[in-house]
Amino acid sequence: MPDASAVTAAVLDDLREESDELDLLVAGLSAHEWTVETPAQGWTVAHQIAHLNWTDEVALVAATEPDAFAAEVDRALAAPGTFVDEAAEEAVTALTPQALLVEWRAGRARLQEVLRAAPDGTKLPWYGPPMSLASMATARLMETWAHGQDVADALGVTRKPTARLRHVARIGVRARDYAYFVRGEQPPAEQFRVELRSEDGGSTVYGPEGAAQRVTGPLLDFCLLVTQRAHRDDLAVEAVGPDARRWLDIAQAFAGPAGAGRPPKADR
């Protein structure tokens, strides 16, 4: 079984690849294309990259100055519904697209260095529960993929699913109880069985085989669901059992307040 440092390094390698893929998508955009609206209301392509850059910055603070990060949490608690949008808007207003791209590249490279150098067993504070190094890297990969999906959708680009999606699925499954807690609900006591199919014919499985509550479907669709990039009505993710069905209505792979999600295509 690989040790913790090897696991963290592997996730960080995948995070770098995910970031580089999104970088290639936006690096050649025109000034106008940076202003194209994405599916996230009020957010352009530039806002999406600004958000990723800001999240890398606060992750660096969490990893290097935990006391200072506590002040970031206080700011978030003071304006839970707006602090993320305000940070993105501030960067878009202050920076040109090319300057923003330079900052994002430098920030994510620095975060890679810090997380790779941190001792095994390090726990980093965050907006939800504290996270291990591997979990922080997984969270950054999940956000990079999710916001990259918004960019791709805005530009009319279809991205090919990669094996990196298993990280997004894993954090979505692990965040099951959080999705209930953030809505003031008690999560089910029993484990769910989650069986996800990859495009290459492989499978990703979580939970006991005999579980009564079950979720099945394509890996990509599950990732779109838990990152709230698509409504469950538009996805081929299926649930067996009332608790599993409820989870698919509220699932979120990200920390912070309950997301509003995206409306079904039929309602747009």
Side-chain angles (χ1 to χ4, degrees):
M1 189 172 181
D3 61 24
S5 59
V7 171
T8 299
V11 181
L12 284 168
D13 288 345
D14 284 347
L15 169 59
R16 183 166 51 203
E17 290 181 10
E18 192 68 40
S19 300
D20 288 348
E21 183 176 292
L22 178 55
D23 195 313
L24 285 173
L25 184 58
V26 300
L29 295 182
S30 67
H32 169 72
E33 287 170 319
W34 279 91
T35 67
V36 170
E37 293 285 334
T38 68
Q41 187 175 4
W43 279 31
T44 64
V45 170
H47 284 86
Q48 299 286 349
I49 301 303
H51 173 71
L52 291 176
N53 180 53
W54 170 79
T55 318
D56 284 343
E57 289 177 349
V58 293
L60 270 170
V61 174
T64 58
E65 302 176 79
D67 291 339
F69 181 75
E72 293 288 341
V73 175
D74 289 341
R75 279 190 283 272
L77 292 173
T82 59
F83 80 103
V84 169
D85 296 284
E86 289 168 356
E89 182 63 31
E90 181 179 343
V92 169
T93 301
L95 300 171
T96 66
Q98 288 307 309
L100 178 59
L101 192 56
V102 168
E103 281 209 4
W104 178 45
R105 287 169 175 167
R108 70 186 201 241
R110 176 61 179 151
L111 183 60
Q112 284 269 343
E113 293 174 2
V114 168
L115 295 184
R116 288 179 189 274
D120 288 351
T122 298
K123 289 289 187 180
L124 304 176
W126 199 239
Y127 296 101
M131 292 196 285
S132 68
L133 297 170
S135 292
M136 176 62 82
T138 302
R140 299 306 310 122
L141 190 154
M142 176 272 296
E143 277 224 281
T144 302
W145 179 82
H147 290 282
Q149 186 64 43
D150 287 341
V151 172
D153 287 344
L155 299 175
V157 174
T158 300
R159 300 191 298 175
K160 182 177 176 58
T162 72
R164 297 188 296 272
L165 285 178
R166 70 189 186 278
H167 298 300
V168 181
R170 180 175 181 272
I171 202 170
V173 170
R174 288 174 62 86
R176 187 202 72 167
D177 288 1
Y178 179 80
Y180 286 91
F181 287 135
V182 79
R183 288 165 175 79
E185 300 179 24
Q186 185 65 29
E190 63 182 300
Q191 296 184 58
F192 293 176
R193 176 74 167 184
V194 180
E195 300 176 353
L196 306 173
R197 305 182 303 273
S198 304
E199 287 198 350
D200 62 4
S203 63
T204 302
V205 179
Y206 303 92
E209 186 173 359
Q213 307 291 321
R214 307 176 70 88
V215 170
T216 60
L219 175 61
L220 172 61
D221 284 21
F222 181 79
C223 292
L224 290 168
L225 179 77
V226 298
T227 58
Q228 297 188 358
R229 261 49 193 181
H231 193 277
R232 64 174 295 191
D233 289 353
D234 300 320
L235 301 169
V237 181
E238 300 179 355
V240 173
D243 290 338
R245 287 193 290 272
R246 173 57 180 159
W247 181 42
L248 295 191
D249 286 333
I250 65 173
Q252 66 179 68
F254 48 87
R262 303 282 162 79
K265 289 181 179 178
D267 294 346
R268 295 175 195 171

